[in-house]
Amino acid sequence: MSELPHFRSRAAERRSGPPRKLSCPKGPEPGSPHPRPIGESHHCPRRDVLLKFPQRREETVRMAQGNPEQGGQTDNIPLAVSTIILTVLALSLGDALIKMTSGNFVIWQIFVLRSLIAIPVLVAVMVAKTPGRLRLPDAMPWVALRSLMLVGMWVCYYLSLPNLTLSAAAAAYYTLPIFITLFSALFMGDRISRTAWAAVVLGFLGVLLILRPRAGDFNAYAILPLISAMLYAGAMILTRTKCRQQDPILLSLVLNIGFVIVGGVAAAIILLLPETSRQGFLLAAWAGMGPAEWVSMALLATAILIGSIGAAIAYQNGPPAMIGAFDFAYVGFAVIWGFIFFAEVPDVTSLLGMLLIVGAGILSLRQ
């Protein structure tokens, strides 16, 4: 009985001491009836387990940090999702303003003037961020290609509008999340889960319920919004892969410079056309600018600032297949702006389409 406390203290010491090493069985001793052949390595399941988990841990860290070819930047999903929602909100509002003012402005006038307002703001922000270090981006060829693709996207879409109904053009254009998901698998090697594809299909069904294009609305010009969707998808893949380390302010600056160049060239070409041909949203002469027109143009400049910077931030910080599903939210916001500005009351089918789009976003996040 006198040794019982001592026994307990030794047991407690063994329990509280350092963990015992896991030893591998050494197999039969030499000279045993079944010795291990000389040169044969001994397989230890315990050692395999211990080695396996650090490898899995390193793989997880590499996935979280991003692909080195994409800059090794860590994803920030909450930032990416909130930014893309704000982006499509701003862009849909800007397009609603364009619809309100389309009787006054030609599209090339909007391209040039709104970007001429946005460019000084972007330059001022860049100078304030890095005084004395305003320079060209490191990946200038890729940045220029990205901007060219985005400008081409807008041009193709607007060129289709005189020959397609708005619902048909928008339905063809909003195949873009499908192209984003497909391109991310083809060009980035991303694994696209069934959940991701289900989110894309669900969102597209929601778009179709809202727009309800008829078969007779489509013609050969429907290829233009499809090309527009592919250009946008390609530009976002470039944003993720080749322009991920570039400042979003700089990407927006180069894009708006592209708008000015393309809009200026188009305006010069229109001046060469006969007077009888200069009409409509694409070919009309520039409208006169009064105080109300400049206010409208300033609002459009604000929308393109938010949209161009936000798209860059979103696709730099989140997987394209996931972020692309939230581009469908544009159509839902367009329904809201239609109700606010044009008294267009959505029916039950449109509301169901909006719910499907919201469901697509939730499903995309769940992957």
Side-chain angles (χ1 to χ4, degrees), residues 274-351:
E275 289 280 348
T276 55
S277 301
R278 300 180 196 172
Q279 56 185 347
F281 188 50
L282 293 172
L283 300 177
W286 284 24
M289 296 294 294
E293 287 75 17
W294 282 113
V295 170
S296 297
M297 200 60 68
L299 292 174
L300 292 175
T302 303
I304 196 62
L305 278 172
I306 297 173
S308 57
I309 296 172
I313 293 174
Y315 281 92
Q316 285 177 339
N317 287 278
M322 174 185 290
I323 304 305
F326 289 90
D327 273 309
F328 286 127
Y330 176 98
V331 181
F333 287 129
V335 173
I336 295 174
W337 301 134
F339 175 73
I340 294 175
F341 295 122
F342 309 108
E344 299 172 352
V345 180
D347 56 14
V348 176
T349 306
S350 297
L351 293 175

Side-chain angles (χ1 to χ4, degrees), residues 122-135 247:
L122 293 168
V123 172
V125 172
M126 289 195 64
V127 171
K129 286 178 61 178
T130 54
R133 295 184 61 186
L134 189 62
R135 57 186 178 85
D247 190 339

